[in-house]
Amino acid sequence: RLEALGPDGKKGSATEIKDLLDFLQHNQMRKPLLVMKYGQRLIDDYPATLGDDVWEMRENVLLAALDADEKKIAEQMLADLERQFGRPRESKPSIRLERLKAMYHEACGNWKSAETIYKNILNGEDTVNPHAIRRLVCCHKGQGKIEEAVQWLNKYLRIFPADIMGWVELAEMYVSLDRIDYAKFCYEEAILIAPQNYLYPLLYADALYALGSQKTKRGGAKNPYDVARQYYIQALELAPGNLRALLGLAMCLRALKVTSQTQSLFQWVDSEITRLYSKSGKEARATLKIVRAALKQ
């Protein structure tokens, strides 16, 4: 598709450009520079072929420009949208347009302005607007205010508990705050939503291993290494040969002290790790020596 548009992107018909943009959107490919470049070409050179969709194209170019840190282009698209969809003071503002304004403020680092717009959206008729709440999470994360971001994401997940990526993001923030117990709960929620995805038992096992290390250091009566071992095994059942799960399992077995009952499992894990590293060239084999030495400590 790109070949038809020429090396400089100045060739091709409106249909070919549309096909390219549709392809990117359908396959959920994040290519902001392409969307911005060819979206602008459609707007400038072929506006008649877009009809009323020209405004949606301007929105797409605006979002792509923000993603690519091209603020001048984003500002131009936002101004065009405001001229078309801006409302008099006495009318209710367009939530969609307000959201775009707030995202532009975010990109410029105007956090207070962005937060004010998002909170105005939530204080209006749409009190549970998911996009506004999620963007408030991003605003606080962007400023390094993780505690506030956690509060807003908790609020979001109370309303939309099936958002699995929300739970994973919340878990990561709790880990950054060294609240492993809370992160563990988030991963449990993710496992309930998608039990066939190996990633969530793997992340859960990582959290349990970290929690086990904390409890050992703090003198806890019981550590969760054994539960972590079970979830590393579950991750391996869902994704055989996963190196991260194998290494985690080996570390758990080492932390629990290898016994006659677990010796055969440890040997199998060791052989699988060796096999995977041995297939990956000289550098990987050098790393293998370090890994095996660490596991034997």
Side-chain angles (χ1 to χ4, degrees):
R1 287 180 172 84
L2 279 173
E3 291 175 1
L5 301 175
D8 56 359
K10 294 182 179 180
K11 296 182 179 179
S13 64
T15 301
E16 288 170 325
I17 296 174
K18 285 181 180 179
D19 285 345
L20 171 65
L21 295 176
D22 287 343
F23 175 81
L24 295 176
Q25 184 176 24
H26 179 74
N27 291 281
Q28 298 182 342
M29 298 174 70
R30 186 177 175 180
K31 300 288 183 181
L33 292 176
L34 289 178
V35 173
M36 188 173 62
K37 179 178 182 178
Y38 291 108
Q40 278 189 294
R41 268 203 66 195
L42 279 177
I43 293 167
D44 295 339
D45 300 343
Y46 306 104
T49 65
L50 291 169
D52 288 340
D53 289 341
V54 68
W55 303 109
E56 185 175 353
M57 184 58 65
R58 288 184 190 279
E59 181 180 355
N60 291 339
V61 172
L62 165 58
L63 294 172
L66 293 177
D67 198 6
D69 198 28
E70 293 286 350
K71 296 185 182 65
K72 286 186 178 180
I73 295 173
E75 186 178 3
Q76 177 191 337
M77 294 297 124
L78 183 58
D80 292 340
L81 289 166
E82 282 194 279
R83 277 194 294 272
Q84 178 66 18
F85 298 105
R87 293 288 182 268
R89 288 175 181 264
E90 61 273 12
S91 301
K92 292 179 182 178
S94 161
I95 290 179
R96 189 167 175 177
L97 181 58
E98 289 297 293
R99 184 192 72 192
L100 293 172
K101 285 183 192 177
M103 291 177 72
Y104 175 74
H105 284 306
E106 278 187 71
C108 295
N110 301 326
W111 303 109
K112 290 295 181 186
S113 299
E115 287 178 39
T116 298
I117 293 173
Y118 291 134
K119 287 177 181 177
N120 286 341
I121 291 173
L122 294 171
N123 290 333
E125 294 181 0
D126 197 354
T127 57
V128 292
N129 184 286
H131 186 274
I133 302 175
R134 289 298 260 127
R135 294 314 307 172
L136 279 167
V137 173
C138 294
C139 283
H140 290 297
K141 283 180 72 176
Q143 297 173 82
K145 298 177 179 178
I146 305 302
E147 291 280 5
E148 290 86 345
V150 164
Q151 290 175 16
W152 278 105
L153 191 49
N154 268 308
K155 177 178 180 178
Y156 170 83
L157 288 169
R158 283 195 292 271
I159 303 167
F160 306 100
D163 186 342
I164 193 167
M165 296 313 298
W167 286 110
V168 173
E169 183 181 2
L170 183 58
E172 290 170 351
M173 286 195 284
Y174 276 133
V175 169
S176 74
L177 294 171
D178 201 26
R179 297 180 189 171
I180 307 300
D181 264 322
Y182 292 93
K184 183 171 73 73
F185 172 81
C186 297
Y187 288 131
E188 288 169 355
E189 292 294 319
I191 291 171
L192 287 173
I193 296 169
Q196 296 305 311
N197 190 321
Y198 81 93
L199 180 61
Y200 305 124
L202 178 56
L203 292 172
Y204 183 49
D206 286 346
L208 285 164
Y209 183 87
L211 188 61
S213 301
Q214 285 188 354
K215 290 196 173 182
T216 299
K217 291 175 184 175
R218 297 170 186 173
K222 183 180 179 182
N223 69 59
Y225 286 130
D226 195 48
V227 183
R229 175 177 63 89
Q230 296 171 31
Y231 278 91
Y232 279 126
I233 291 173
Q234 182 180 334
L236 285 167
E237 288 175 348
L238 295 169
N242 183 278
L243 183 58
R244 179 170 166 178
L246 286 166
L247 290 169
L249 178 55
M251 294 297 288
C252 275
L253 291 170
R254 192 187 68 136
L256 290 165
K257 307 300 181 187
V258 178
T259 64
S260 57
Q261 294 178 324
T262 58
Q263 181 65 37
S264 59
L265 177 58
F266 188 84
Q267 289 174 346
W268 174 81
V269 171
D270 184 65
S271 66
E272 283 294 293
I273 292 172
T274 302
R275 181 180 64 81
L276 290 170
Y277 271 110
S278 298
K279 294 195 302 183
S280 304
K282 290 183 179 179
E283 290 185 7
R285 285 194 286 273
T287 304
L288 174 62
K289 292 181 181 179
I290 299 171
V291 171
R292 296 191 71 181
L295 292 177
K296 290 178 180 177
Q297 288 179 0

